[in-house]
Amino acid sequence: MPQRATMLMLLTTTLTAAQSNLTAQVPAQDTYQLPRSFNSSFDNHTSAASQAIAAARNASFVSYDEDFLRIVGDDSKVRLLATSSNEKVSFAFEGGIWVPETNQVWFTAYLDPTPGYLSILDLNVYVTTFGDPDTTPAIVAINPHTYHAEEVVNSYFGLPLNGPDDVTVAVSRATGEQCVFFTDFFLNEEGLGVATYPGPSKLPYFVWRPVIGTLEIQDPNGLAVDKANSLLYVTDGPHSAVFQSGPNHTLPSFAGIYQYDLGGADGCTPLNKRLFAFARQGFANGIKVDDAGRVWTAEYEGVVVRNGTSGKVLGVFNAVDIIMANSENPVNVRDVAPLANFALVGDELVILAFDRIFGVKLAEMVIDPERYNIR
Ligand SMILES: *[C@@H]1O[C@H](CO)[C@@H](O)[C@H](O)[C@H]1NC(C)=O
Ligand SMILES: *[C@@H]1O[C@H](CO)[C@@H](O)[C@H](O)[C@H]1NC(C)=O
Ligand SMILES: *[C@@H]1O[C@H](CO)[C@@H](O)[C@H](O)[C@H]1NC(C)=O
Ligand SMILES: *[C@@H]1O[C@H](CO)[C@@H](O)[C@H](O)[C@H]1NC(C)=O
Ligand SMILES: *[C@@H]1O[C@H](CO)[C@@H](O)[C@H](O)[C@H]1NC(C)=O
Ligand SMILES: CC(=O)N[C@H]1CO[C@H](CO)[C@@H](O)[C@@H]1O
């Protein structure tokens, strides 16, 4: 197996307490209709047009809907769960897979050493690796009990993958069989100054089984399937959104989150593509669907929670307070994004923030452990 896929760590303990800035509530109307005049930007909310939006800037939790208040509860606190022992190492980047039976969260380090992006269902944790200068990327399956690992996909008719970013598994409602989906992203072309497989790309950027082509979604990144195996979510991370929506935001770029039905004869064909939502800042990277069908995404502003039916933003776990105010920012990737992924661990949100991991205890169980039990 690619050596880098072993960069996985386990945690559940609280090391120390972090701060708790309370939940800010923003009236729904302020999200679409402000008193004139206003002139605010991502980074400057001092415009008095909405005091609620300005006041929410430094809150830990920003609520736009009563449903979010129910998820967060009355006295949620942000806890610092772990820090990197080597401050130069960004150990918490992608993945965020809960294995209830072993009480572990699996995740991967930032690009150097090369990361993976992993997902889990049934017997295996599936990890993507970006390879290294001598090794082309792959999808790897790991047994979380034995740690036995093997490559399951590394090429298409002899052509190497580019930079597989996310992998997810559905169980076909038609056949009962597992369907593995993965996205192949442009990371090989990006360079990013690290030891990933450098390309050049020989395949288009697809959602693979293969099922979703480049004309449908430009640069597919995050993937998630709902509990009922009836919906597939795919996030788009076009270059303009990934790199031009950070602190130096210049262009409005479009980073959609798409919803498909899973159906067809094999039960695993994505049908009826529709735009579900889009990221206000940056793009939606990590994506998870909770048991109630709510959609959680890692965006540049934080972890955003949306109603799965309407796409309405219910609230945000605010990166400005939870991550930026509590990190020493050793990694320049924060110029682009403060986080890439997170885990939903029963009734806890675990945020992977490069050199820190934060936990937020929720007021409800959002993922039933049974859903991810490994037998
Ligand atoms: C809005 O604010 C920006 C930066 O503060 C400024 O450059 C721009 O001229 C302002 N626009 C208006 C219409 O006031
Ligand atoms: C932020 O916006 C306010 C109100 O428009 C303006 O007075 C202030 O100069 C802006 N600050 C920065 C740093 O752009
Ligand atoms: C938010 O925090 C920043 C930095 O600590 C501070 O300058 C700003 O005044 C705060 N804004 C609010 C609304 O509290
Ligand atoms: C989503 O919103 C609809 C309509 O407001 C509501 O009926 C439904 O319960 C919500 N779903 C979740 C998971 O909160
Ligand atoms: C953003 O702008 C600042 C100040 O001009 C600069 O130092 C920084 O490198 C820029 N960051 C990015 C990601 O372009
Ligand atoms: C970012 C920010 O505003 N953090 C504040 C959270 O609340 C504590 C306690 O009130 C303040 O000390 C922090 O400045």
Side-chain angles (χ1 to χ4, degrees), residues 38-41 44:
F38 61 92
N39 181 18
S40 40
S41 66
N44 186 353

Coordinates of all heavy atoms in Angstrom, one line a residue, residues 38-41 44, ligand 1:
F38 N -25.6 49.6 3.1 CA -24.6 48.6 3.6 C -23.5 48.4 2.6 O -23.7 48.5 1.4 CB -25.3 47.3 4.0 CG -25.9 46.6 2.8 CD1 -25.2 45.7 2.0 CD2 -27.2 47.0 2.3 CE1 -25.8 45.1 0.9 CE2 -27.8 46.3 1.2 CZ -27.0 45.4 0.5
N39 N -22.4 48.0 3.2 CA -21.2 47.8 2.3 C -20.2 46.9 3.1 O -19.2 47.3 3.5 CB -20.5 49.1 2.0 CG -19.3 48.9 1.1 OD1 -19.2 47.9 0.4 ND2 -18.4 49.9 1.0
S40 N -20.7 45.6 3.2 CA -19.8 44.7 4.0 C -19.2 43.7 3.1 O -19.5 43.5 2.0 CB -20.6 44.1 5.1 OG -21.9 43.7 4.6
S41 N -18.1 43.1 3.6 CA -17.4 42.1 2.9 C -17.2 40.9 3.8 O -17.6 40.9 5.0 CB -16.1 42.6 2.4 OG -15.3 42.9 3.5
N44 N -15.0 42.3 6.7 CA -15.4 43.5 7.3 C -16.9 43.6 7.5 O -17.6 44.0 6.6 CB -14.9 44.7 6.6 CG -15.1 46.0 7.3 OD1 -15.7 46.0 8.4 ND2 -14.5 47.1 6.8
Ligands
LIG1 C1 -17.3 49.6 0.0 O1 -16.1 49.4 0.8 C2 -14.9 49.2 0.1 C3 -13.8 48.8 1.0 O2 -14.0 49.2 2.3 C4 -14.6 50.4 -0.8 O3 -13.5 50.2 -1.5 C5 -15.8 50.7 -1.7 O4 -15.6 51.9 -2.4 C6 -17.1 50.8 -0.9 N1 -18.2 50.9 -1.8 C7 -19.2 51.7 -1.6 C8 -20.3 51.7 -2.7 O5 -19.3 52.4 -0.7

